[in-house]
């Protein structure tokens, strides 16, 4: 099973408590850890987290800096933990924009976990669905010998998610009910789950409730019974 999450509401969580937005992100990082643990314990195959969108580069510089530092810190602190739980770590997005130190920490962690066989953790960083489709279209046009006869599956090989099955369930926290340029192509048949819970409050019980609710959904993929 593949679970994707749009982690939203860190800023509001902080504001409700009279704290800074960055405090919300720090607490949100604890929810990231909790959901990874739940996914490992419940034998989920793929967990995809929308950590930073292409649009997020437009946030104030100190907030962007804090988010990059938080990711750097999480990588440093969690490497052993991920390895001991057999988690394969991947980062997907337009990484050319990411600070070089973070980029090399990412590359190292991807490398050392590359043969892990448990949960695959996909962190989407500097990512947007339209960027992904556009970069795929450019590479498709440049490489495909017979584009006229190509199938959707042939095209999807150029998306950054090549080799990753499409999400079964997309969770969005904080009460917003939209996809915000996340996995546009990949969510064609994905079930959506919206919860008012703010991301820093979304922990193991909330993750498990979303998966439990999904188990009752009836998927038809556009077919009749
Ligand atoms: C959305 O809340 C959250 C983000 C843009 C960032 C998510 C990042 C983390 C949880 C930090 C750690 C990440 C990793 C992978 C270790 P928001 O700021 O949009 O909240 P708001 O809508 O209430 O303002």
């Amino acid at each position: 099973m593949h679970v994707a999450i749009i982690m939203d509401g860190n800023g509001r969580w902080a504001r409700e408590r009279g704290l800074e937005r960055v405090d919300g992100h720090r607490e949100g990082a604890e929810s990231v850890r909790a959901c990874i643990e739940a996914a490992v314990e419940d034998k989920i195959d793929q967990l995809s987290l929308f950590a930073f969108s292409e649009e997020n580069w437009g946030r104030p510089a100190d907030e962007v800096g804090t988010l990059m530092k938080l990711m750097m810190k999480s990588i440093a602190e969690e490497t052993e933990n991920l390895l001991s739980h057999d988690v394969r770590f991947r980062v997907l997005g337009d990484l050319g924009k990411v600070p070089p130190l973070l980029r090399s920490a990412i590359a190292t962690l991807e490398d050392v976990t590359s043969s892990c066989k448990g949960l695959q953790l996909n962190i989407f960083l500097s990512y947007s669905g339209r960027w992904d489709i556009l970069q795929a279209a450019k590479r498709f046009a440049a490489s495909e010998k017979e584009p006229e006869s190509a199938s959707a599956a042939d095209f999807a090989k150029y998306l950054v998610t090549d080799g990753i099955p499409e999400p079964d369930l997309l969770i969005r926290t904080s009460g917003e009910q939209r996809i915000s340029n996340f996995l546009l192509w990949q969510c064609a048949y994905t079930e959506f789950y919206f919860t008012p819970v703010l991301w820093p409050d979304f922990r193991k019980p909330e993750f498990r409730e979303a998966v439990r609710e999904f188990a009752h959904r009836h998927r038809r993929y556009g077919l009749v019974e």
Side-chain angles (χ1 to χ4, degrees):
M1 179 178 183
H2 181 176
V3 179
I5 311 183
I6 299 178
M7 310 180 287
D8 197 7
N10 293 348
R12 276 161 283 169
W13 183 93
R15 195 171 58 227
E16 280 175 5
R17 287 161 181 76
L19 301 170
E20 301 291 329
R21 292 180 58 79
V22 297
D23 297 315
H25 296 318
R26 272 189 211 106
E27 198 60 28
E30 289 304 311
S31 296
V32 169
R33 178 215 282 272
C35 290
I36 296 170
E37 266 180 33
V40 168
E41 287 165 11
D42 298 352
K43 307 228 170 345
I44 303 283
D45 304 298
Q46 304 262 348
L47 179 65
S48 291
L49 303 177
F50 200 8
F52 193 88
S53 72
E54 224 186 17
E55 292 77 14
N56 288 154
W57 290 116
R59 291 194 177 195
D62 63 336
E63 183 173 342
V64 171
T66 301
L67 283 167
M68 297 298 141
K69 274 192 217 121
L70 258 179
M71 276 179 246
M72 201 65 207
K73 184 166 167 269
S74 301
I75 288 177
E77 289 176 0
E78 301 299 333
T79 297
E80 287 309 314
N81 214 359
L82 294 177
L83 275 171
S84 68
H85 288 96
D86 209 18
V87 176
R88 182 170 176 204
F89 175 85
R90 293 203 49 203
V91 174
L92 303 100
D94 190 1
L95 298 190
K97 296 181 180 164
V98 170
L101 267 181
L102 177 57
R103 219 162 51 217
S104 71
I106 288 168
T108 304
L109 187 52
E110 284 188 328
D111 192 42
V112 296
T113 63
S114 62
S115 54
C116 289
K117 297 280 183 286
L119 173 72
Q120 180 165 320
L121 173 63
N122 307 305
I123 304 289
F124 287 79
L125 177 59
S126 189
Y127 178 86
S128 84
R130 287 183 179 172
W131 165 81
D132 193 6
I133 293 169
L134 188 60
Q135 68 78 26
K138 288 174 185 168
R139 296 196 297 128
F140 172 87
S143 337
E144 205 66 19
K145 303 264 184 311
E146 293 172 26
E148 294 80 7
S149 57
S151 65
D154 293 330
F155 179 78
K157 290 197 183 80
Y158 296 90
L159 296 165
V160 293
T161 48
D162 179 36
I164 300 174
E166 292 174 7
D168 298 292
L169 170 64
L170 173 71
I171 299 169
R172 181 167 190 156
T173 60
S174 92
E176 310 296 347
Q177 304 191 2
R178 52 179 176 262
I179 193 163
S180 295
N181 215 349
F182 192 27
L183 297 162
L184 297 181
W185 172 285
Q186 297 86 342
C187 283
Y189 292 102
T190 299
E191 294 288 329
F192 287 13
Y193 176 92
F194 299 110
T195 170
V197 175
L198 303 176
W199 178 250
D201 292 326
F202 193 87
R203 299 289 163 99
K204 284 187 187 181
E206 290 76 19
F207 179 86
R208 291 190 163 125
E209 178 53 31
V211 173
R212 212 171 8 251
E213 208 264 307
F214 164 81
H216 298 298
R217 304 267 182 103
H218 192 64
R219 303 175 81 191
R220 291 192 291 138
Y221 301 96
L223 304 174
V224 290
E225 299 293 285

